[in-house]
Amino acid sequence: MKALVGNNGRRARRSDWLGSAKNLKDQDIDARQPQTRLDASMKSASCEREIIARILTGETDLFHELIRPCERMVYLTVLSMMKDEAEAEDVTQEAMLKAFRALRSFHAEAKFSTWLVAIALNEGRRRLRIAGRAPLESLDEQASEQEGDFTPAVLTDWREIPLEALERKEIRQALVEAVGQLPAIYRQVFTLRDIEELDVKETAEALEISANVVKVRLHRARMLLQKRLAPLLKAAVPVRKRFFWSTT
Amino acid sequence: MKLRCEHVWSYISEYIDDAVDTELREEIEKHLEHCEICSAVLDSTRNILVLTADERTFELPVGFSERLHARLAKELVAAKIDGESPENPSP
Ligand SMILES: [Zn+2]
């Protein structure tokens, strides 16, 4: 059952994405330095360590390849904190440069992506402080860390909404909006755990909160999303049976 | 002990993550067998998680990656890795 949420289908699409990123790499980097070409399997930790070692001895162009698999994760995490796309993009760029400069302090026992996400979150917090905006989390914390209503929408049956429904823009938009409307403390945990698939420990480390807090916030985030989205999706995606009835 | 629906709801997230112990898992599953409400809540939650996790749902801004790598290409040349050691001078 875990596999249903964690793995099915998603891995394939993730590698599709890596594939398209590779095309991009072919254009803008390999044209200059064909010897730096790396295959997409560089994700494994030992390979990651090797690339980092090579960057540290002067092959700085390899940094492009090192971060490519993490771009999406870093951006979405920052976005879950800033909410503004342009700002989140800028913070992502800045965080990547900071990570480059700090690369020697990366220790191999950590996961590179988690380390990168932590740097990005710090950069995001720094920006919010400079702009005189309180980090979103401290505001929500007062508002919703107390007991609230985290009960689901009560339904008596559920028809599976297939992934093909995502071809419809209004369905994607409904999902994005529902996540966007979560209180920031829940949105961040949800983004790391359920969109970017970090485990509880990694999420706790990146957000500097305890594993238990991760679990509580994740539960609430999931319940808030179910409550909002289940009725909405049910109404938006027609039951297939009706289609067959109307044509027979 | 018989689980009530509210109890099952409070464990849904951990149940999905396979983080409940065997005993509780069995009780939840027993409850799910005869409770269509909890089954629908569980199925819809799981379904929503699959949909939100799909790469099509959250898209990167158009040109995001190109802009990021262009900036890196420009700035990595001048950027220095902190703590450069004398044994590994940068070229
Ligand atoms: Zn029930």
Side-chain angles (χ1 to χ4, degrees):
Chain A
M1 268 174 240
K2 178 118 204 272
L4 181 74
V5 169
N7 295 325
N8 276 6
R10 278 205 258 157
R11 296 283 174 221
R13 265 180 301 286
R14 189 149 293 180
S15 53
D16 283 347
W17 174 77
L18 283 172
S20 64
K22 192 165 180 290
N23 293 339
L24 194 127
K25 173 190 80 177
D26 290 346
Q27 294 159 18
D28 61 39
I29 296 170
D30 288 0
R32 285 182 288 120
Q33 283 202 302
Q35 74 274 19
T36 64
R37 181 188 296 266
L38 290 160
D39 78 355
S41 66
M42 63 148 280
K43 278 190 92 182
S44 77
S46 65
C47 197
E48 212 168 71
R49 276 200 296 276
E50 193 201 309
I51 291 165
I52 290 169
R54 286 170 63 186
I55 295 168
L56 291 175
T57 54
E59 291 181 72
T60 52
D61 267 355
L62 287 177
F63 189 69
H64 289 274
E65 306 319 307
L66 181 67
I67 61 156
R68 238 179 252 283
C70 312
E71 286 170 24
R72 183 186 155 81
M73 175 186 285
V74 171
Y75 172 77
L76 290 179
T77 306
V78 174
L79 186 65
S80 76
M81 169 186 241
M82 325 281 302
K83 283 192 97 172
D84 178 82
E85 288 193 3
E87 205 173 10
E89 179 168 343
D90 198 46
V91 168
T92 302
Q93 293 182 358
E94 211 53 61
M96 294 298 193
L97 285 165
K98 285 206 162 149
F100 175 77
R101 287 191 288 264
L103 197 56
R104 205 175 297 282
S105 69
F106 170 72
H107 296 292
E109 28 332 331
K111 221 161 123 183
F112 181 70
S113 56
T114 315
W115 183 73
L116 208 51
V117 162
I119 290 178
L121 284 169
N122 281 334
E123 178 62 18
R125 287 186 201 110
R126 199 182 66 88
R127 287 286 181 101
L128 291 173
R129 261 201 316 274
I130 289 173
R133 284 152 61 192
L136 293 167
E137 59 250 53
S138 63
L139 295 175
D140 298 331
E141 227 141 3
Q142 300 156 11
S144 55
E145 198 68 277
Q146 304 98 321
E147 279 314 303
D149 178 23
F150 300 103
T151 56
V154 174
L155 313 152
T156 50
D157 71 323
W158 180 257
R159 279 174 192 276
E160 182 77 11
I161 293 176
L163 285 170
E164 295 84 74
L166 293 173
E167 301 298 332
R168 288 166 56 189
K169 189 159 190 254
E170 74 269 25
I171 299 288
R172 295 199 302 274
Q173 234 157 25
L175 295 165
V176 169
E177 269 170 29
V179 173
Q181 282 168 3
L182 289 173
I185 52 169
Y186 302 143
R187 192 172 59 239
Q188 283 179 14
V189 170
F190 182 80
T191 300
L192 293 179
R193 279 285 289 127
D194 282 344
I195 300 178
E196 297 311 327
E197 303 179 300
L198 296 190
D199 65 26
V200 171
K201 186 167 164 278
E202 290 162 353
T203 304
E205 277 166 17
L207 295 174
E208 298 170 355
I209 53 179
S210 73
N212 206 45
V213 170
V214 169
K215 287 181 198 165
V216 171
R217 290 184 185 177
L218 182 64
H219 174 73
R220 292 176 176 182
R222 286 168 167 177
M223 288 299 100
L224 289 169
L225 288 177
Q226 191 275 356
K227 188 168 212 161
R228 188 182 161 80
L229 285 169
L232 214 142
L233 291 172
K234 201 172 176 170
V237 180
V239 177
R240 215 165 275 201
K241 223 180 206 170
R242 207 170 290 159
F243 170 73
F244 289 120
W245 282 344
S246 64
T247 53
T248 48
Chain B
M1 164 192 144
K2 252 209 155 156
L3 282 183
R4 287 186 326 175
C5 294
E6 289 80 2
H7 267 114
V8 174
W9 300 345
S10 70
Y11 291 119
I12 277 195
S13 184
E14 285 173 277
Y15 179 80
I16 286 174
D17 288 341
D18 205 4
V20 291
D21 61 42
T22 329
E23 203 182 331
L24 181 57
R25 167 164 292 272
E26 277 167 14
E27 282 187 53
I28 292 173
E29 276 161 13
K30 230 189 296 171
H31 180 100
L32 290 172
E33 268 172 35
H34 65 79
C35 179
E36 53 184 16
I37 290 175
C38 287
S39 299
V41 168
L42 177 66
D43 290 347
S44 57
T45 305
R46 242 193 215 132
N47 197 172
I48 286 164
L49 296 186
V50 171
L51 294 172
T52 49
D54 193 278
E55 305 247 312
R56 283 169 286 189
T57 304
F58 286 89
E59 294 166 305
L60 292 177
V62 177
F64 171 87
S65 197
E66 289 85 342
R67 288 191 293 277
L68 170 63
H69 287 276
R71 179 156 175 208
L72 288 175
K74 210 167 69 192
E75 297 203 23
L76 287 191
V77 184
K80 263 225 149 77
I81 299 176
D82 293 337
E84 206 86 70
S85 61
E87 307 88 78
N88 297 321
S90 57

